[in-house]
Amino acid sequence: MKVLIIGPLGAGKSSLAYRLNKEFGLPRLNLDEVCRSPADGSYYPQDVQFAKLEAFAAAHTDWVAEGCQKYLYEKLSPDLIIDMRISRLTAIWRFTRRFIKAKKLIGKQIDADLPVQAYHYRKITLSKIRSYDAINQEINAEIADFLAQAPAPVLTCKSFKDYSKIFEYVAQSVSFIFLAPADIS
């Protein structure tokens, strides 16, 4: 099963992707890691991004991908889309907490193991929070446009409380996919 998780910054896309990875063994792809260098957070050229995306898709028949870069996720062919758009205030609160968390971790011995997103959050400023809020509003508009012509079924996930319905849907789909033809009546 191919699962695409989309939503704004702070929606919980990575958390859900990790859980789906562990629960169902689906290889995970974070679109931030496709488009940004883990060394300094700078963007790769777009042809490199597309090549990385194509290589991942070619190497895996099943996967879970998550991100908010429409130009990347619209190139994928998912079997299920999970819409993680959350309220504006919830998003602001979550990415403000990320600034605080990342600031505590940057420069420590575990620095090399930090996900690429941590580098987005090196300095907390009110203007950066406003900028992220504006970006989230754009992301939500892009997601609405994409979902208006969704190429696959869409489930909504607003919080951890919705994980059970997602796991149930994926479990049913995965077991259906893996049934041998003789098992289908």
Side-chain angles (χ1 to χ4, degrees), residues 62-122:
D62 299 308
W63 44 257
V64 57
E66 52 97 359
C68 57
Q69 300 84 354
K70 184 180 179 198
Y71 68 98
L72 290 174
Y73 67 68
E74 68 188 357
K75 295 203 175 287
L76 294 170
S77 299
D79 299 318
L80 172 66
I81 300 169
I82 300 173
D83 175 8
M84 292 194 74
R85 286 177 290 169
I86 55 176
S87 78
R88 187 175 176 195
L89 290 176
T90 301
I92 291 170
W93 168 246
R94 287 181 182 173
F95 59 73
T96 301
R97 281 190 330 187
R98 282 187 184 177
F99 280 111
I100 295 164
K101 238 187 223 181
K103 188 172 183 169
K104 289 178 183 178
L105 295 174
I106 299 292
K108 297 208 173 173
Q109 187 173 2
I110 59 168
D111 198 39
D113 298 328
L114 286 176
V116 70
Q117 298 99 316
Y119 292 94
H120 302 257
Y121 300 99
R122 283 183 181 247

Short mmCIF file of all heavy atoms in Angstrom, two decimals, residues 62-122:
data_model
loop_
_atom_site.label_atom_id
_atom_site.label_comp_id
_atom_site.label_asym_id
_atom_site.label_seq_id
_atom_site.Cartn_x
_atom_site.Cartn_y
_atom_site.Cartn_z
N ASP A 62 5.54 -0.58 -1.90
CA ASP A 62 4.70 -0.03 -0.83
C ASP A 62 5.53 0.99 -0.08
O ASP A 62 6.74 0.82 0.07
CB ASP A 62 4.26 -1.13 0.14
CG ASP A 62 3.42 -2.20 -0.55
OD1 ASP A 62 2.45 -1.82 -1.22
OD2 ASP A 62 3.75 -3.39 -0.41
N TRP A 63 4.87 2.05 0.43
CA TRP A 63 5.60 3.08 1.15
C TRP A 63 4.64 4.01 1.88
O TRP A 63 3.43 3.98 1.65
CB TRP A 63 6.49 3.90 0.22
CG TRP A 63 5.89 4.32 -1.09
CD1 TRP A 63 6.15 3.76 -2.31
CD2 TRP A 63 4.95 5.39 -1.35
NE1 TRP A 63 5.42 4.39 -3.30
CE2 TRP A 63 4.69 5.40 -2.74
CE3 TRP A 63 4.31 6.32 -0.56
CZ2 TRP A 63 3.81 6.31 -3.34
CZ3 TRP A 63 3.43 7.24 -1.15
CH2 TRP A 63 3.20 7.22 -2.53
N VAL A 64 5.21 4.81 2.76
CA VAL A 64 4.50 5.93 3.36
C VAL A 64 5.38 7.16 3.14
O VAL A 64 6.56 7.15 3.48
CB VAL A 64 4.16 5.71 4.86
CG1 VAL A 64 5.40 5.44 5.70
CG2 VAL A 64 3.38 6.88 5.43
N ALA A 65 4.82 8.17 2.50
CA ALA A 65 5.54 9.42 2.24
C ALA A 65 4.80 10.54 2.93
O ALA A 65 3.57 10.55 2.99
CB ALA A 65 5.63 9.68 0.74
N GLU A 66 5.56 11.51 3.43
CA GLU A 66 4.92 12.63 4.11
C GLU A 66 5.64 13.93 3.82
O GLU A 66 6.86 13.94 3.66
CB GLU A 66 4.84 12.39 5.62
CG GLU A 66 6.16 12.01 6.27
CD GLU A 66 6.89 13.16 6.92
OE1 GLU A 66 6.41 14.31 6.86
OE2 GLU A 66 7.95 12.92 7.48
N GLY A 67 4.86 14.97 3.69
CA GLY A 67 5.44 16.28 3.44
C GLY A 67 4.39 17.30 3.02
O GLY A 67 3.20 17.01 2.96
N CYS A 68 4.88 18.49 2.72
CA CYS A 68 3.97 19.57 2.33
C CYS A 68 4.42 20.25 1.04
O CYS A 68 3.93 21.32 0.71
CB CYS A 68 3.83 20.58 3.47
SG CYS A 68 5.37 21.31 4.02
N GLN A 69 5.32 19.61 0.30
CA GLN A 69 5.82 20.17 -0.95
C GLN A 69 4.97 19.62 -2.09
O GLN A 69 5.22 18.54 -2.60
CB GLN A 69 7.30 19.82 -1.16
CG GLN A 69 8.23 20.32 -0.09
CD GLN A 69 8.31 19.42 1.14
OE1 GLN A 69 7.60 18.43 1.28
NE2 GLN A 69 9.18 19.78 2.06
N LYS A 70 3.97 20.42 -2.53
CA LYS A 70 3.03 19.96 -3.54
C LYS A 70 3.72 19.52 -4.82
O LYS A 70 3.35 18.52 -5.42
CB LYS A 70 1.99 21.04 -3.84
CG LYS A 70 0.93 20.59 -4.81
CD LYS A 70 -0.09 21.66 -5.10
CE LYS A 70 -1.11 21.13 -6.09
NZ LYS A 70 -1.86 22.17 -6.73
N TYR A 71 4.73 20.26 -5.25
CA TYR A 71 5.41 19.91 -6.50
C TYR A 71 6.05 18.53 -6.43
O TYR A 71 6.29 17.89 -7.46
CB TYR A 71 6.45 20.97 -6.89
CG TYR A 71 7.64 21.06 -5.97
CD1 TYR A 71 8.84 20.43 -6.29
CD2 TYR A 71 7.60 21.80 -4.79
CE1 TYR A 71 9.94 20.51 -5.46
CE2 TYR A 71 8.70 21.90 -3.96
CZ TYR A 71 9.87 21.26 -4.30
OH TYR A 71 10.96 21.34 -3.46
N LEU A 72 6.29 18.01 -5.22
CA LEU A 72 6.82 16.65 -5.06
C LEU A 72 5.69 15.64 -4.87
O LEU A 72 5.65 14.62 -5.57
CB LEU A 72 7.79 16.58 -3.87
CG LEU A 72 9.13 17.28 -4.05
CD1 LEU A 72 9.93 17.24 -2.75
CD2 LEU A 72 9.94 16.65 -5.18
N TYR A 73 4.78 15.91 -3.94
CA TYR A 73 3.78 14.88 -3.65
C TYR A 73 2.79 14.66 -4.79
O TYR A 73 2.23 13.59 -4.93
CB TYR A 73 3.07 15.07 -2.31
CG TYR A 73 2.17 16.26 -2.11
CD1 TYR A 73 0.96 16.39 -2.79
CD2 TYR A 73 2.50 17.23 -1.18
CE1 TYR A 73 0.11 17.47 -2.56
CE2 TYR A 73 1.67 18.31 -0.94
CZ TYR A 73 0.46 18.42 -1.64
OH TYR A 73 -0.37 19.49 -1.41
N GLU A 74 2.60 15.67 -5.65
CA GLU A 74 1.70 15.46 -6.76
C GLU A 74 2.30 14.53 -7.82
O GLU A 74 1.59 14.05 -8.70
CB GLU A 74 1.25 16.79 -7.38
CG GLU A 74 2.34 17.56 -8.08
CD GLU A 74 1.91 18.96 -8.51
OE1 GLU A 74 0.74 19.33 -8.33
OE2 GLU A 74 2.78 19.69 -9.02
N LYS A 75 3.58 14.23 -7.73
CA LYS A 75 4.23 13.29 -8.65
C LYS A 75 4.10 11.84 -8.18
O LYS A 75 4.46 10.92 -8.90
CB LYS A 75 5.70 13.65 -8.81
CG LYS A 75 5.88 15.01 -9.50
CD LYS A 75 7.23 15.09 -10.14
CE LYS A 75 7.39 16.35 -10.93
NZ LYS A 75 6.63 16.37 -12.17
N LEU A 76 3.62 11.64 -6.95
CA LEU A 76 3.46 10.30 -6.41
C LEU A 76 2.10 9.73 -6.80
O LEU A 76 1.17 10.48 -7.10
CB LEU A 76 3.59 10.33 -4.88
CG LEU A 76 4.98 10.72 -4.35
CD1 LEU A 76 4.93 10.96 -2.85
CD2 LEU A 76 5.99 9.64 -4.70
N SER A 77 1.98 8.43 -6.77
CA SER A 77 0.71 7.74 -7.08
C SER A 77 0.28 6.94 -5.86
O SER A 77 0.47 5.71 -5.81
CB SER A 77 0.88 6.82 -8.28
OG SER A 77 1.26 7.57 -9.41
N PRO A 78 -0.32 7.59 -4.87
CA PRO A 78 -0.69 6.88 -3.64
C PRO A 78 -1.97 6.06 -3.80
O PRO A 78 -2.79 6.32 -4.68
CB PRO A 78 -0.91 8.03 -2.64
CG PRO A 78 -1.38 9.16 -3.49
CD PRO A 78 -0.64 9.02 -4.79
N ASP A 79 -2.12 5.09 -2.91
CA ASP A 79 -3.36 4.31 -2.80
C ASP A 79 -4.28 4.96 -1.77
O ASP A 79 -5.48 4.69 -1.75
CB ASP A 79 -3.06 2.87 -2.36
CG ASP A 79 -2.17 2.15 -3.34
OD1 ASP A 79 -2.38 2.31 -4.56
OD2 ASP A 79 -1.22 1.46 -2.89
N LEU A 80 -3.69 5.77 -0.87
CA LEU A 80 -4.43 6.44 0.19
C LEU A 80 -3.76 7.77 0.48
O LEU A 80 -2.53 7.84 0.54
CB LEU A 80 -4.43 5.58 1.47
CG LEU A 80 -5.01 6.22 2.73
CD1 LEU A 80 -6.50 6.48 2.58
CD2 LEU A 80 -4.73 5.35 3.96
N ILE A 81 -4.57 8.80 0.67
CA ILE A 81 -4.06 10.12 1.06
C ILE A 81 -4.61 10.43 2.44
O ILE A 81 -5.81 10.26 2.69
CB ILE A 81 -4.50 11.21 0.06
CG1 ILE A 81 -3.96 10.90 -1.33
CG2 ILE A 81 -4.03 12.59 0.54
CD1 ILE A 81 -4.56 11.76 -2.43
N ILE A 82 -3.73 10.87 3.33
CA ILE A 82 -4.16 11.28 4.66
C ILE A 82 -4.00 12.79 4.76
O ILE A 82 -2.90 13.32 4.63
CB ILE A 82 -3.36 10.55 5.76
CG1 ILE A 82 -3.55 9.04 5.62
CG2 ILE A 82 -3.79 11.05 7.14
CD1 ILE A 82 -2.70 8.21 6.52
N ASP A 83 -5.12 13.46 4.97
CA ASP A 83 -5.20 14.91 5.07
C ASP A 83 -5.03 15.30 6.54
O ASP A 83 -5.90 15.02 7.35
CB ASP A 83 -6.55 15.38 4.53
CG ASP A 83 -6.80 16.86 4.68
OD1 ASP A 83 -5.88 17.60 5.09
OD2 ASP A 83 -7.94 17.29 4.39
N MET A 84 -3.91 15.95 6.85
CA MET A 84 -3.63 16.33 8.23
C MET A 84 -3.71 17.84 8.45
O MET A 84 -3.00 18.39 9.29
CB MET A 84 -2.27 15.80 8.67
CG MET A 84 -2.27 14.29 8.78
SD MET A 84 -0.85 13.63 9.66
CE MET A 84 -1.25 14.05 11.35
N ARG A 85 -4.58 18.52 7.71
CA ARG A 85 -4.74 19.95 7.97
C ARG A 85 -5.34 20.15 9.35
O ARG A 85 -6.32 19.49 9.71
CB ARG A 85 -5.63 20.58 6.90
CG ARG A 85 -4.89 20.72 5.57
CD ARG A 85 -5.76 21.28 4.50
NE ARG A 85 -6.77 20.27 4.15
CZ ARG A 85 -7.82 20.52 3.40
NH1 ARG A 85 -8.04 21.72 2.91
NH2 ARG A 85 -8.67 19.55 3.11
N ILE A 86 -4.72 21.01 10.12
CA ILE A 86 -5.13 21.28 11.50
C ILE A 86 -5.45 22.76 11.64
O ILE A 86 -5.18 23.55 10.73
CB ILE A 86 -4.02 20.88 12.51
CG1 ILE A 86 -2.70 21.58 12.14
CG2 ILE A 86 -3.85 19.37 12.55
CD1 ILE A 86 -1.56 21.34 13.11
N SER A 87 -5.99 23.14 12.79
CA SER A 87 -6.34 24.55 12.99
C SER A 87 -5.08 25.41 13.01
O SER A 87 -3.98 24.95 13.36
CB SER A 87 -7.12 24.73 14.30
OG SER A 87 -6.23 24.72 15.40
N ARG A 88 -5.25 26.64 12.65
CA ARG A 88 -4.15 27.60 12.59
C ARG A 88 -3.47 27.75 13.95
O ARG A 88 -2.24 27.75 14.05
CB ARG A 88 -4.70 28.93 12.09
CG ARG A 88 -3.69 29.96 11.82
CD ARG A 88 -4.37 31.17 11.21
NE ARG A 88 -3.42 32.23 11.03
CZ ARG A 88 -3.75 33.47 10.80
NH1 ARG A 88 -5.01 33.81 10.69
NH2 ARG A 88 -2.82 34.38 10.66
N LEU A 89 -4.26 27.87 15.01
CA LEU A 89 -3.68 28.05 16.35
C LEU A 89 -2.90 26.81 16.80
O LEU A 89 -1.84 26.93 17.41
CB LEU A 89 -4.78 28.40 17.36
CG LEU A 89 -5.39 29.78 17.21
CD1 LEU A 89 -6.52 29.98 18.20
CD2 LEU A 89 -4.33 30.87 17.40
N THR A 90 -3.42 25.64 16.49
CA THR A 90 -2.70 24.41 16.84
C THR A 90 -1.36 24.36 16.11
O THR A 90 -0.33 24.03 16.70
CB THR A 90 -3.55 23.16 16.48
OG1 THR A 90 -4.78 23.23 17.19
CG2 THR A 90 -2.83 21.88 16.81
N ALA A 91 -1.37 24.72 14.83
CA ALA A 91 -0.12 24.71 14.05
C ALA A 91 0.89 25.70 14.63
O ALA A 91 2.06 25.37 14.78
CB ALA A 91 -0.41 25.03 12.59
N ILE A 92 0.44 26.91 14.95
CA ILE A 92 1.34 27.93 15.52
C ILE A 92 1.95 27.41 16.82
O ILE A 92 3.16 27.53 17.04
CB ILE A 92 0.60 29.26 15.73
CG1 ILE A 92 0.28 29.90 14.39
CG2 ILE A 92 1.43 30.21 16.60
CD1 ILE A 92 -0.65 31.10 14.47
N TRP A 93 1.13 26.83 17.67
CA TRP A 93 1.63 26.30 18.94
C TRP A 93 2.66 25.20 18.70
O TRP A 93 3.73 25.19 19.31
CB TRP A 93 0.46 25.77 19.78
CG TRP A 93 0.90 24.96 20.96
CD1 TRP A 93 0.70 23.63 21.16
CD2 TRP A 93 1.65 25.41 22.10
NE1 TRP A 93 1.26 23.23 22.34
CE2 TRP A 93 1.85 24.31 22.94
CE3 TRP A 93 2.16 26.64 22.47
CZ2 TRP A 93 2.53 24.39 24.14
CZ3 TRP A 93 2.86 26.73 23.67
CH2 TRP A 93 3.04 25.61 24.49
N ARG A 94 2.38 24.29 17.77
CA ARG A 94 3.29 23.17 17.54
C ARG A 94 4.62 23.61 16.96
O ARG A 94 5.67 23.14 17.38
CB ARG A 94 2.63 22.13 16.64
CG ARG A 94 1.55 21.35 17.35
CD ARG A 94 0.95 20.32 16.43
NE ARG A 94 -0.12 19.59 17.08
CZ ARG A 94 -0.90 18.72 16.44
NH1 ARG A 94 -0.71 18.48 15.17
NH2 ARG A 94 -1.85 18.11 17.08
N PHE A 95 4.63 24.50 15.97
CA PHE A 95 5.94 24.85 15.42
C PHE A 95 6.69 25.83 16.32
O PHE A 95 7.90 25.89 16.29
CB PHE A 95 5.93 25.24 13.94
CG PHE A 95 5.10 26.39 13.50
CD1 PHE A 95 5.44 27.69 13.78
CD2 PHE A 95 3.98 26.16 12.73
CE1 PHE A 95 4.67 28.74 13.32
CE2 PHE A 95 3.20 27.21 12.26
CZ PHE A 95 3.55 28.50 12.57
N THR A 96 6.00 26.55 17.20
CA THR A 96 6.70 27.36 18.20
C THR A 96 7.42 26.44 19.18
O THR A 96 8.56 26.69 19.56
CB THR A 96 5.72 28.30 18.93
OG1 THR A 96 5.10 29.15 17.96
CG2 THR A 96 6.44 29.14 19.96
N ARG A 97 6.76 25.35 19.57
CA ARG A 97 7.41 24.37 20.46
C ARG A 97 8.62 23.75 19.78
O ARG A 97 9.61 23.44 20.44
CB ARG A 97 6.43 23.26 20.86
CG ARG A 97 5.49 23.64 21.94
CD ARG A 97 4.72 22.48 22.46
NE ARG A 97 4.53 21.47 21.43
CZ ARG A 97 3.78 20.40 21.56
NH1 ARG A 97 3.17 20.17 22.68
NH2 ARG A 97 3.65 19.53 20.59
N ARG A 98 8.56 23.56 18.47
CA ARG A 98 9.71 23.00 17.74
C ARG A 98 10.93 23.90 17.84
O ARG A 98 12.04 23.42 17.94
CB ARG A 98 9.37 22.79 16.27
CG ARG A 98 8.55 21.59 16.00
CD ARG A 98 8.43 21.41 14.52
NE ARG A 98 7.56 20.30 14.20
CZ ARG A 98 7.23 19.95 12.98
NH1 ARG A 98 7.70 20.63 11.96
NH2 ARG A 98 6.44 18.93 12.77
N PHE A 99 10.72 25.21 17.78
CA PHE A 99 11.84 26.14 17.92
C PHE A 99 12.54 25.90 19.25
O PHE A 99 13.77 25.82 19.32
CB PHE A 99 11.36 27.60 17.86
CG PHE A 99 11.11 28.13 16.49
CD1 PHE A 99 9.82 28.40 16.06
CD2 PHE A 99 12.16 28.37 15.61
CE1 PHE A 99 9.58 28.91 14.80
CE2 PHE A 99 11.93 28.88 14.34
CZ PHE A 99 10.63 29.15 13.94
N ILE A 100 11.75 25.80 20.29
CA ILE A 100 12.30 25.64 21.64
C ILE A 100 13.04 24.30 21.74
O ILE A 100 14.16 24.23 22.25
CB ILE A 100 11.18 25.76 22.70
CG1 ILE A 100 10.61 27.18 22.66
CG2 ILE A 100 11.69 25.40 24.09
CD1 ILE A 100 9.27 27.34 23.34
N LYS A 101 12.43 23.23 21.25
CA LYS A 101 13.05 21.90 21.28
C LYS A 101 14.35 21.87 20.48
O LYS A 101 15.36 21.36 20.94
CB LYS A 101 12.07 20.89 20.68
CG LYS A 101 11.70 19.77 21.58
CD LYS A 101 10.86 18.78 20.78
CE LYS A 101 9.70 18.31 21.61
NZ LYS A 101 8.88 17.33 20.92
N ALA A 102 14.30 22.38 19.26
CA ALA A 102 15.48 22.34 18.39
C ALA A 102 16.62 23.16 18.97
O ALA A 102 17.78 22.76 18.90
CB ALA A 102 15.13 22.83 17.00
N LYS A 103 16.30 24.30 19.56
CA LYS A 103 17.34 25.15 20.13
C LYS A 103 18.10 24.41 21.23
O LYS A 103 19.31 24.55 21.37
CB LYS A 103 16.72 26.45 20.68
CG LYS A 103 17.74 27.46 21.10
CD LYS A 103 17.08 28.77 21.45
CE LYS A 103 18.17 29.75 21.80
NZ LYS A 103 17.71 31.09 21.90
N LYS A 104 17.40 23.60 22.01
CA LYS A 104 18.04 22.82 23.07
C LYS A 104 18.94 21.73 22.50
O LYS A 104 19.90 21.32 23.13
CB LYS A 104 16.98 22.19 23.97
CG LYS A 104 16.25 23.17 24.84
CD LYS A 104 15.20 22.44 25.66
CE LYS A 104 14.40 23.40 26.50
NZ LYS A 104 13.34 22.73 27.26
N LEU A 105 18.63 21.22 21.30
CA LEU A 105 19.36 20.09 20.74
C LEU A 105 20.52 20.47 19.83
O LEU A 105 21.49 19.74 19.74
CB LEU A 105 18.39 19.19 19.94
CG LEU A 105 17.30 18.51 20.75
CD1 LEU A 105 16.34 17.79 19.82
CD2 LEU A 105 17.87 17.56 21.77
N ILE A 106 20.39 21.61 19.14
CA ILE A 106 21.42 22.01 18.19
C ILE A 106 22.76 22.17 18.92
O ILE A 106 22.84 22.79 19.97
CB ILE A 106 21.04 23.32 17.47
CG1 ILE A 106 19.75 23.15 16.68
CG2 ILE A 106 22.17 23.83 16.60
CD1 ILE A 106 19.84 22.22 15.50
N GLY A 107 23.80 21.59 18.34
CA GLY A 107 25.14 21.72 18.92
C GLY A 107 25.51 20.64 19.91
O GLY A 107 26.65 20.52 20.30
N LYS A 108 24.56 19.81 20.31
CA LYS A 108 24.87 18.73 21.23
C LYS A 108 25.43 17.54 20.45
O LYS A 108 25.41 17.52 19.22
CB LYS A 108 23.62 18.33 22.00
CG LYS A 108 23.11 19.48 22.86
CD LYS A 108 22.38 18.99 24.04
CE LYS A 108 22.08 20.22 24.89
NZ LYS A 108 21.26 19.98 25.98
N GLN A 109 25.89 16.55 21.14
CA GLN A 109 26.53 15.41 20.51
C GLN A 109 25.59 14.69 19.53
O GLN A 109 26.04 14.15 18.54
CB GLN A 109 27.00 14.43 21.58
CG GLN A 109 27.83 13.29 21.03
CD GLN A 109 28.42 12.44 22.13
OE1 GLN A 109 28.19 12.68 23.30
NE2 GLN A 109 29.19 11.45 21.75
N ILE A 110 24.28 14.72 19.79
CA ILE A 110 23.34 14.03 18.91
C ILE A 110 23.00 14.85 17.67
O ILE A 110 22.19 14.45 16.86
CB ILE A 110 22.03 13.69 19.66
CG1 ILE A 110 21.37 14.95 20.20
CG2 ILE A 110 22.27 12.67 20.73
CD1 ILE A 110 19.97 14.74 20.69
N ASP A 111 23.65 15.99 17.49
CA ASP A 111 23.38 16.90 16.38
C ASP A 111 23.34 16.18 15.03
O ASP A 111 22.47 16.44 14.21
CB ASP A 111 24.44 17.99 16.36
CG ASP A 111 24.04 19.19 15.55
OD1 ASP A 111 22.87 19.59 15.58
OD2 ASP A 111 24.91 19.74 14.87
N ALA A 112 24.24 15.26 14.79
CA ALA A 112 24.32 14.56 13.50
C ALA A 112 23.09 13.70 13.26
O ALA A 112 22.75 13.41 12.11
CB ALA A 112 25.57 13.70 13.45
N ASP A 113 22.41 13.27 14.31
CA ASP A 113 21.24 12.42 14.17
C ASP A 113 19.93 13.19 14.06
O ASP A 113 18.87 12.59 13.90
CB ASP A 113 21.14 11.45 15.35
CG ASP A 113 22.34 10.52 15.41
OD1 ASP A 113 22.87 10.18 14.33
OD2 ASP A 113 22.75 10.15 16.51
N LEU A 114 19.99 14.50 14.18
CA LEU A 114 18.76 15.28 14.11
C LEU A 114 18.15 15.22 12.72
O LEU A 114 18.88 15.22 11.73
CB LEU A 114 19.04 16.76 14.44
CG LEU A 114 19.30 17.10 15.89
CD1 LEU A 114 19.65 18.58 16.00
CD2 LEU A 114 18.11 16.78 16.75
N PRO A 115 16.84 15.16 12.65
CA PRO A 115 16.22 15.20 11.32
C PRO A 115 16.48 16.55 10.67
O PRO A 115 16.74 17.54 11.35
CB PRO A 115 14.73 14.99 11.60
CG PRO A 115 14.55 15.36 13.03
CD PRO A 115 15.86 15.09 13.72
N VAL A 116 16.40 16.57 9.36
CA VAL A 116 16.69 17.80 8.62
C VAL A 116 15.81 18.96 9.08
O VAL A 116 16.22 20.10 9.07
CB VAL A 116 16.59 17.55 7.09
CG1 VAL A 116 15.16 17.33 6.66
CG2 VAL A 116 17.20 18.69 6.31
N GLN A 117 14.58 18.66 9.53
CA GLN A 117 13.69 19.73 9.96
C GLN A 117 14.25 20.55 11.12
O GLN A 117 13.92 21.72 11.27
CB GLN A 117 12.32 19.20 10.40
CG GLN A 117 11.55 18.49 9.33
CD GLN A 117 11.71 17.00 9.47
OE1 GLN A 117 12.81 16.49 9.69
NE2 GLN A 117 10.63 16.28 9.31
N ALA A 118 15.06 19.95 11.96
CA ALA A 118 15.59 20.67 13.12
C ALA A 118 16.37 21.91 12.70
O ALA A 118 16.41 22.90 13.41
CB ALA A 118 16.47 19.75 13.96
N TYR A 119 16.96 21.86 11.53
CA TYR A 119 17.75 22.99 11.07
C TYR A 119 16.88 24.17 10.64
O TYR A 119 17.35 25.29 10.57
CB TYR A 119 18.69 22.56 9.94
CG TYR A 119 19.75 21.63 10.49
CD1 TYR A 119 19.59 20.26 10.45
CD2 TYR A 119 20.88 22.14 11.11
CE1 TYR A 119 20.53 19.41 10.99
CE2 TYR A 119 21.84 21.29 11.65
CZ TYR A 119 21.65 19.93 11.60
OH TYR A 119 22.59 19.11 12.15
N HIS A 120 15.61 23.93 10.38
CA HIS A 120 14.69 25.02 10.06
C HIS A 120 14.42 25.87 11.31
O HIS A 120 14.00 27.00 11.20
CB HIS A 120 13.32 24.49 9.61
CG HIS A 120 13.33 23.60 8.43
ND1 HIS A 120 12.97 24.03 7.19
CD2 HIS A 120 13.65 22.29 8.30
CE1 HIS A 120 13.04 23.02 6.35
NE2 HIS A 120 13.45 21.97 6.99
N TYR A 121 14.64 25.29 12.46
CA TYR A 121 14.19 25.89 13.70
C TYR A 121 15.33 26.39 14.59
O TYR A 121 15.21 26.40 15.80
CB TYR A 121 13.34 24.87 14.48
CG TYR A 121 12.12 24.43 13.72
CD1 TYR A 121 12.11 23.24 13.01
CD2 TYR A 121 10.98 25.22 13.69
CE1 TYR A 121 11.00 22.84 12.29
CE2 TYR A 121 9.87 24.84 12.99
CZ TYR A 121 9.88 23.65 12.30
OH TYR A 121 8.79 23.27 11.59
N ARG A 122 16.43 26.80 14.01
CA ARG A 122 17.59 27.21 14.80
C ARG A 122 17.33 28.45 15.66
O ARG A 122 17.78 28.52 16.78
CB ARG A 122 18.79 27.47 13.91
CG ARG A 122 19.44 26.19 13.46
CD ARG A 122 20.66 26.50 12.63
NE ARG A 122 21.24 25.26 12.20
CZ ARG A 122 22.42 24.82 12.63
NH1 ARG A 122 23.14 25.53 13.44
NH2 ARG A 122 22.87 23.67 12.20
#
